[in-house]
Amino acid sequence: MDKEVYVALLIDDHPIIRSSYKEAAKLVANTLEGVSFIFEEAGNCDEAISKVNVLAKSGVKNCLVFLDISLPASKDKSIVSGEDLGIWINKKLPQSKIIVSTAFNDNYRIHNILKNLNPDGFLVKNDTTPKELINAISDIVSDPPYYSKTVLKLLRKESSNDYLLDEIDRKLLYELSQGTLMKELPDILHLSMAGVEKRKRQLKLIFDVESTSDRELLSIARVKGFI
């Protein structure tokens, strides 16, 4: 079986952190059949910009970006944080999967990053163990997203207080219950693929579903009378 090759771009100003990402990804590659990684590293915004420009020109499709939010600004000040860099990467490499890592655990800061960047993974460094890092990479490669405990607690609190299922949510649940494929849902729901994934992620948070599969989500939605 041909392996799916990911370019893993490790962006952090601490070499030890980059090394831990690399070792975790190698372990994932040894565990998951059909996945391998090619590593690129950047220690600051300018190095990251240079690497991303090269990757964009090469037409790379599978790119897994490990992004530290606490990065110093680029020399020309066009990018002033890791968050800005992530938004720029999303535009340059729209098919990339971004794993955000931050030491911040402030609810407003986390919410702001989620709203602006919508990463495929969100790790709070105080929560992250070597085992969780491996689990995060595995989930993001196979079925994103993956959020650490601090992020999930924030989202569940907000979703239970502020979010109601609308017509699109109910239609999404129905289509999933009918076995409709993810690739077919954007045309049916008139959303982008990112929009569909975000809706499904929000539904799992509302129903307190931790499983990466849809089976538990649909089971709880049936019990609650949504499908």
Side-chain angles (χ1 to χ4, degrees), residues 33-49:
E33 290 186 12
V35 175
S36 65
F37 296 96
I38 297 172
F39 297 100
E40 297 284 350
E41 298 187 37
N44 55 54
C45 284
D46 291 296
E47 289 179 5
I49 291 168

Side-chain angles (χ1 to χ4, degrees), residues 63-81:
C63 188
L64 188 63
V65 181
F66 295 78
L67 177 62
D68 181 20
I69 290 296
S70 302
L71 290 172
S74 59
K75 290 180 180 177
D76 64 3
K77 306 301 180 184
S78 62
I79 292 178
V80 298
S81 68

Side-chain angles (χ1 to χ4, degrees), residues 16-57:
I16 293 176
I17 299 295
R18 299 199 302 269
S19 178
S20 68
Y21 292 155
K22 184 183 292 187
E23 292 306 310
K26 287 179 179 178
L27 288 172
V28 170
N30 289 335
T31 303
L32 289 180
E33 290 186 12
V35 175
S36 65
F37 296 96
I38 297 172
F39 297 100
E40 297 284 350
E41 298 187 37
N44 55 54
C45 284
D46 291 296
E47 289 179 5
I49 291 168
S50 177
K51 296 280 187 180
V52 169
N53 280 329
V54 171
L55 292 173
K57 287 181 180 178

